[in-house]
Structures are given as C-alpha cells and as structure tokens.
Amino acid sequence: MFFFKKKSPASEEELLRFIRRLEDAYMEQDELKLKESFHPDQRGMSLTRHVQLQMNFQIYQITSEILHFEKIDSSEEEAVFTYTRKHLYTCKNPEDEQSSTLNNITSYYVKVVREKRGFWITKYTPYSVLYLDRSGDILPGEAAVVPANAQYFGAIQPLLSRFRKDGLKPATYHTYAGSEFIGYFLEREIFSYRTTEKFSVDFFETMEASDIHEHTAIYLDQELDFGEALEVGASHSIIETRTPGSQGTNHELVLSLLNREGFFMIRYMKMGEPIPDEARSRWIEQMQEAAKTL
C-alpha cells in the first residue's frame, strides 16, 4: 500500500521567493525566464508590448525593490497574493536620457498554480501605479497617479478641490473606453488591495439612465443591507448604502452628478464598519456643496 503525502498550502516564504525570481529576471533582462514564470496559456504577448519590453531592455538598466507583500489565500494547488514593487530606470547611455521618466511603484494582484518546479502565474493584474521622479520619490498630488494617456482628468480635477480628503492620498487611476477613475486611500494603505477607507471619483462621458431619478432608482435596486436617497435633484442625487463586504458591512455615501462635462459618481466608503456620525455629516455637506457649485 502506498501513502502519498498531502501537499501543504503555499507559504508566504515560497511565494515571496517566486516573485523575487520574477523580478530578478526583469532586472537581468531575461525575457525567456519572464515568460516561463507564466502558465503556458498566459504567455501570449502583443507585438507592441514585446517591442516596448525590448526597447526598455536595450536602453535602461533596471533596479527592482519589493515594498509590500500580502498573501490573500492559498491551497494545495493554487495561491492568491498581492505585491508592490519599485522600478527605477537608468539610461545605459546618458545621451539617451529624456525629460520623462519610467520610474514607478506598481502593485499587482497575482494568482498562481503549482507545477513541478514551483509555480506558474495565471493572473497578473496591476491595481495601482504611482509615478516617481528621477530620484525615486513619488510625484506630488494627483501627478503621482494620473497617466499620460488620461483624457478626462481635466473634467475630474475641479471636483477634487471641493472635498477635504484628510489623511487620504491619490493611490490609483484607471482609464476605460469613455470613462476614468481616480481613487484615494489612507497613506498607510496606499499599497493595499483591501483598504478600510476610500474616496473616489468615476467619470463617464454619458449616463446610461434617462435621468438622475432613474439612475438613483437603479442604484438602490441592488442587493443592499440598506439604501436610501438622501437628496435627489434634477442633475444630482446623494445616496447612502450599506452592503455586505469581506471585512463586515461597507458603508457608502455617493454623489451622482450630471453636468456639461459628463456624468460623475463621487464616493466615500468605509469598509467593514459604519462611517462615524461626524464624518458622515461632513461628507454629506461637501457633496451638497459640490452639487450646488457645478
């Protein structure tokens, strides 16, 4: 009779070693080793990305530092974790130096499966990018997150000054077809995938509903522990909701606003606990003022 030893879930140390090897391959500019870290089904690379990688390897000396790691889940066969790495780019030939810089801090959500020699990556998704100056310091304010290809930040920016964001720092920016998103997290959670507090602005070129009243009704017709429209006007609404989350009940205030620029959803959320009464009143007042002035 044969007995097979049951494999243990992947440890944090194993996963860290694996991701350090991936980062070492990038610093060594070993494209083959990079590809072999991914599952065979995930190794396809667009021509544009391949050319960009080759150009970076040709022009720059790259250093990498892992700043943050968090194991989310693991079993015998797979694991999920996040990590944050800092990349600094130095031109091999000083004459190639340009005014812009590629220096950045990027956080990734990663899924891996076990294979004989270790792990293969099946999902590798960035959820936050912070841009750095030549010295490796995070750029000030929203410049830290707004990418060069952002189209709608000019529409978002006037709204940001209407809100006090005490303790919250720009942490992520996403671009989509016809919409963009900026998110602010607590400074101590700036690299975190799971946060306890968040302020964000979504911009959309168009609102899918026929008017604010329909939009508000649709928003409240979700699976909510609690939902109420605190204020509804011709061009805005303020909604309060509580929804189940992985850390408890998420408490959200959201201002939906339609103006000449487009449609905005401005949110403040506490994850896992209620928004304190004083903070709740302050955010509602700020949303009311923002709705009046734009």
Side-chain angles (χ1 to χ4, degrees):
M1 182 178 293
F2 295 94
F3 295 92
F4 296 94
K5 185 177 180 181
K6 189 176 181 180
K7 290 186 291 186
S8 301
S11 68
E12 183 172 311
E13 291 74 18
E14 288 178 291
L15 297 171
L16 261 171
R17 281 198 299 272
F18 170 73
I19 213 65
R20 285 195 180 108
R21 286 197 295 271
L22 179 76
E23 290 297 318
D24 287 344
Y26 193 76
M27 286 191 290
E28 293 162 7
Q29 304 186 355
D30 190 329
E31 189 175 341
L32 179 60
K33 193 180 292 185
L34 283 172
K35 285 185 177 181
E36 289 177 345
S37 299
F38 288 78
H39 190 278
D41 293 341
Q42 305 292 323
R43 290 178 185 172
M45 183 183 294
S46 70
L47 178 61
T48 303
R49 186 180 172 192
H50 174 75
V51 170
Q52 184 62 56
L53 189 67
Q54 289 296 317
M55 286 179 61
N56 287 348
F57 285 173
Q58 187 174 20
I59 297 172
Y60 298 102
Q61 187 70 38
I62 305 161
T63 62
S64 174
E65 178 185 0
I66 294 178
L67 304 178
H68 181 78
F69 179 92
E70 181 182 358
K71 187 173 79 168
I72 295 175
D73 192 21
S74 65
S75 67
E76 297 174 36
E77 303 300 330
E78 59 184 13
V80 179
F81 61 92
T82 68
Y83 85 102
T84 300
R85 54 84 176 146
K86 180 177 183 178
H87 276 185
L88 298 180
Y89 294 76
T90 305
C91 280
K92 296 177 181 177
N93 182 353
E95 295 180 1
D96 293 329
E97 196 72 54
Q98 300 177 2
S99 57
S100 60
T101 176
L102 298 177
N103 295 344
N104 69 89
I105 295 173
T106 301
S107 299
Y108 291 90
Y109 178 91
V110 186
K111 286 186 178 181
V112 296
V113 295
R114 283 189 183 273
E115 53 93 22
K116 291 181 181 178
R117 293 172 298 173
F119 302 98
W120 273 334
I121 295 170
T122 58
K123 186 169 185 176
Y124 189 76
T125 306
Y127 60 87
S128 172
V129 180
L130 300 175
Y131 301 106
L132 313 177
D133 62 20
R134 293 191 182 282
S135 300
D137 297 320
I138 298 173
L139 293 175
E142 285 72 27
V145 296
V146 180
N149 65 338
Q151 299 181 56
Y152 306 116
F153 182 66
I156 294 172
Q157 193 170 23
L159 270 172
L160 299 176
S161 63
R162 308 286 179 178
F163 294 89
R164 281 176 50 197
K165 301 176 286 292
D166 299 340
L168 298 170
K169 299 289 185 181
T172 187
Y173 199 100
H174 298 289
T175 61
Y176 309 98
S179 70
E180 291 182 4
F181 166 93
I182 186 169
Y184 293 71
F185 304 156
L186 292 173
E187 187 166 9
R188 67 176 181 273
E189 297 176 347
I190 202 165
F191 303 143
S192 299
Y193 184 73
R194 294 171 173 167
T195 60
T196 60
E197 188 174 349
K198 179 171 68 175
F199 170 76
S200 64
V201 178
D202 276 285
F203 170 84
F204 305 88
E205 286 184 339
T206 58
M207 181 177 66
E208 292 186 3
S210 60
D211 57 29
I212 285 290
H213 290 270
E214 182 184 3
H215 161 76
T216 303
I218 292 171
Y219 198 86
L220 291 173
D221 191 28
Q222 305 178 71
E223 291 187 10
L224 304 170
D225 290 343
F226 167 84
E228 182 181 2
L230 304 179
E231 186 172 302
V232 183
S235 60
H236 81 281
S237 68
I238 299 174
I239 302 168
E240 181 173 15
T241 66
R242 292 186 179 89
T243 56
S246 60
Q247 305 169 68
T249 300
N250 296 334
H251 189 184
E252 177 188 61
L253 294 166
V254 55
L255 166 64
S256 299
L257 177 65
L258 185 64
N259 69 11
R260 63 183 180 275
E261 298 288 348
F263 178 59
F264 301 83
M265 295 186 74
I266 302 97
R267 295 179 170 93
Y268 173 73
M269 180 183 284
K270 284 280 284 184
M271 278 68 87
E273 61 180 281
I275 301 171
D277 290 342
E278 184 180 344
R280 176 182 177 276
S281 297
R282 184 174 69 250
W283 282 102
I284 291 173
E285 288 171 6
Q286 292 181 101
M287 290 178 176
Q288 290 171 330
E289 289 302 312
K292 289 176 186 176
T293 54
L294 292 177

